[in-house]
Amino acid sequence: MFEHQGRTDYYWSDTENTHKSRNREMVKAHGTEIKKLYGPNPWIAYLLTPFVFLQLYLAYRAKDMGWPTFLLVAYFVGGTVVHSCFLAIHEVTHNLCFQTPLYNDMYALFVNSVVPAPYAMMFKTYHAEHHRYLGWDGVDADVPTRFEAKFLPTMLASFLLTFQVLF
């Protein structure tokens, strides 16, 4: 099912759409418990909204902080908030916060307000393509290409290539 291709930390599967087959197996084994978890969860907004306001407050107060305090707060608090926002935008992209897609879009924009790059709506489009072409070599941007697997010897090199493509 999985086969090494070049580097040892990438695997390619010859199974068509492993996401769906894995989902079918899990639902078959634990269907009742899993189906209770389906659908929107408003706790995303309950948890993330205070994070967004905390980040905005800290941005306002940054002018009063000395450099050591600013760097510690920015790295530990700001980094945690921004990472949480990235994760929330992914969930909201799947309409998992509110019943109404428009509300999910508006909330994604709100959460994105404290992330350095305005990406929420583009991510929604890109992520839909990722699911539509899941696992397609050369089409699904979340799957490393054979070139990346062969010629990018480190995670840092892969990150730098991704960063260059995004900006």
Side-chain angles (χ1 to χ4, degrees):
M1 178 175 172
F2 289 101
E3 173 186 338
H4 284 289
Q5 299 286 331
R7 292 176 44 201
T8 59
D9 56 351
Y10 289 122
Y11 291 90
W12 275 267
S13 171
D14 57 2
T15 303
E16 188 174 329
N17 205 334
T18 55
H19 226 31
K20 284 183 182 176
S21 59
R22 208 169 63 233
N23 180 291
R24 267 187 250 121
E25 290 171 15
M26 291 187 318
V27 168
K28 186 177 177 182
H30 307 283
T32 308
E33 305 104 86
I34 289 175
K35 287 184 179 180
K36 288 179 186 175
L37 301 173
Y38 283 10
N41 183 351
W43 274 99
I44 295 169
Y46 299 148
L47 295 171
L48 256 293
T49 300
F51 268 32
V52 171
F53 285 119
L54 172 65
Q55 188 79 332
L56 293 171
Y57 172 75
L58 290 173
Y60 173 75
R61 294 298 309 267
K63 67 184 181 314
D64 302 327
M65 295 179 198
W67 274 105
T69 303
F70 170 76
L71 291 175
L72 287 171
V73 169
Y75 184 81
F76 289 105
V77 179
T80 300
V81 169
V82 168
H83 182 68
S84 298
C85 289
F86 276 113
L87 296 173
I89 288 170
H90 172 265
E91 297 306 305
V92 173
T93 293
H94 288 288
N95 295 320
L96 292 177
C97 189
F98 302 104
Q99 293 284 344
T100 309
L102 177 62
Y103 294 169
N104 283 289
D105 288 349
M106 291 174 11
Y107 191 69
L109 290 170
F110 168 71
V111 171
N112 197 161
S113 68
V114 297
V115 175
Y119 83 102
M121 293 300 101
M122 190 59 212
F123 178 76
K124 182 176 183 166
T125 302
Y126 148 80
H127 197 61
E129 292 291 308
H130 157 69
H131 279 281
R132 186 172 294 116
Y133 300 108
L134 191 66
W136 288 26
D137 193 17
V139 179
D140 180 357
D142 283 355
V143 173
T145 64
R146 294 186 191 282
F147 174 84
E148 289 172 311
K150 187 171 183 176
F151 295 106
L152 295 176
T154 65
M155 294 287 283
L156 177 62
S158 182
F159 171 77
L160 291 175
L161 179 66
T162 301
F163 187 77
Q164 177 186 0
V165 169
L166 290 175
F167 300 99

